[in-house]
Amino acid sequence: MAEVVIVPDRVTAGGLVADEIAALLRRRPDAVLGLATGSTPLPVYQALRARLEGVDTSQVRGFALDEYIGIDPAHPESYSSVIAREVVEPLGLDPALIRTPPADDPDIATAGERYDDAIRAAGGVDIQILGIGTDGHIGFNEPGSSFASRTRVKTLTRQTREDNARFFDSIDEVPRHCLTQGLGTILEARHLVLLAFGEGKAAAIAGAVEGPVTAMVPGTAIQLHPHVTVIVDEAAASKLRLDQYYRDTFDNKPAWQGI
Ligand code: GLP
């Protein structure tokens, strides 16, 4: 089962994940990071900055989960801009080694396949950071997405476009389509780290961690993976039935295990 870590706040969550990533990069300077956008992973990237001071990050490789289709890549809310601003620049990574799904590719029908090939050629993702949508989506795999899905074009739900409208001037500006890693692609990463904060994510987290495995809640795909860490604040944990067990487990965990 997923290891569930309940933390007091997002800064603590960011620190835990950043410790793990910094240790990985000290062992393997060319490790492959699976990068997520949205507001949830920001504390991870902020905490990493301090931990990577003095560390050579020039060989770090990375693949983002998803990208909007029909948005200028230079738009500040394109995911390539977000990754450049929040991850590549502050951490001093080489932009040539950090990729987002090429949603502006003229051959969009096969762009996903080539993105998956590139992930495979890099040796696969070592640690995949994930957020979760209020409807249970991971990446942009909306409810109903196949657990075997690969990187491909998806249509965003009305709910996701409403949730993401806060990053744009109006909901009409939120793209309708995206190129997203599939659930099958995400499940190939060696370690999944799913973060969620706030009451608005409590139902999605309870469904993903403890609900029956169903394509209707794409986050339940994590139950099929052998190494998953779910890090949540108290509000996002509030609908978990086994919360006491998760607390006992983490409190009594040997320090060498990390997350
Ligand atoms: C978007 C992204 C997801 C992200 C989700 C939650 O739809 N494609 O990768 O997990 O939103 O966003 P937030 O972290 O801002 O709540």
Side-chain angles (χ1 to χ4, degrees), residues 214-254:
T214 168
M216 287 307 286
V217 183
T220 60
I222 65 170
Q223 296 180 38
L224 304 175
H225 193 284
H227 188 190
V228 184
T229 310
V230 176
I231 306 181
V232 285
D233 64 5
E234 293 287 346
S238 60
K239 291 191 160 64
L240 288 169
R241 288 169 49 203
L242 298 184
D243 71 300
Q244 200 49 54
Y245 177 62
Y246 306 136
R247 292 177 207 274
D248 289 347
T249 304
F250 191 66
D251 289 347
N252 295 293
K253 185 176 177 179

Side-chain angles (χ1 to χ4, degrees), residues 38-40 66 79 131-132 137 139-140 164 166 201:
S39 49
T40 304
D66 44 16
Y79 284 171
I132 191 163
H137 74 241
F140 265 137
N164 290 2
R166 69 189 192 280
K201 299 290 175 75

Side-chain angles (χ1 to χ4, degrees), residues 90-178:
L91 302 183
L93 309 187
D94 178 352
L97 299 179
I98 309 297
R99 301 179 58 167
T100 38
D104 58 346
D105 193 313
D107 188 4
I108 194 71
T110 60
E113 207 176 309
R114 281 178 274 121
Y115 194 67
D116 280 354
D117 288 346
I119 296 175
R120 262 189 226 109
V125 168
D126 291 301
I127 182 165
Q128 175 65 58
I129 301 165
L130 295 168
I132 191 163
T134 53
D135 63 0
H137 74 241
I138 55 176
F140 265 137
N141 293 281
E142 299 287 24
S145 294
S146 162
F147 288 154
S149 54
R150 312 299 311 178
T151 302
R152 71 220 183 284
V153 174
K154 283 292 286 183
T155 304
L156 303 180
T157 61
R158 176 85 196 173
Q159 174 73 58
T160 296
R161 293 181 64 241
E162 279 170 7
D163 287 350
N164 290 2
R166 69 189 192 280
F167 296 112
F168 295 84
D169 289 337
S170 78
I171 187 166
D172 300 324
E173 278 189 29
V174 184
R176 291 180 182 276
H177 297 100
C178 66

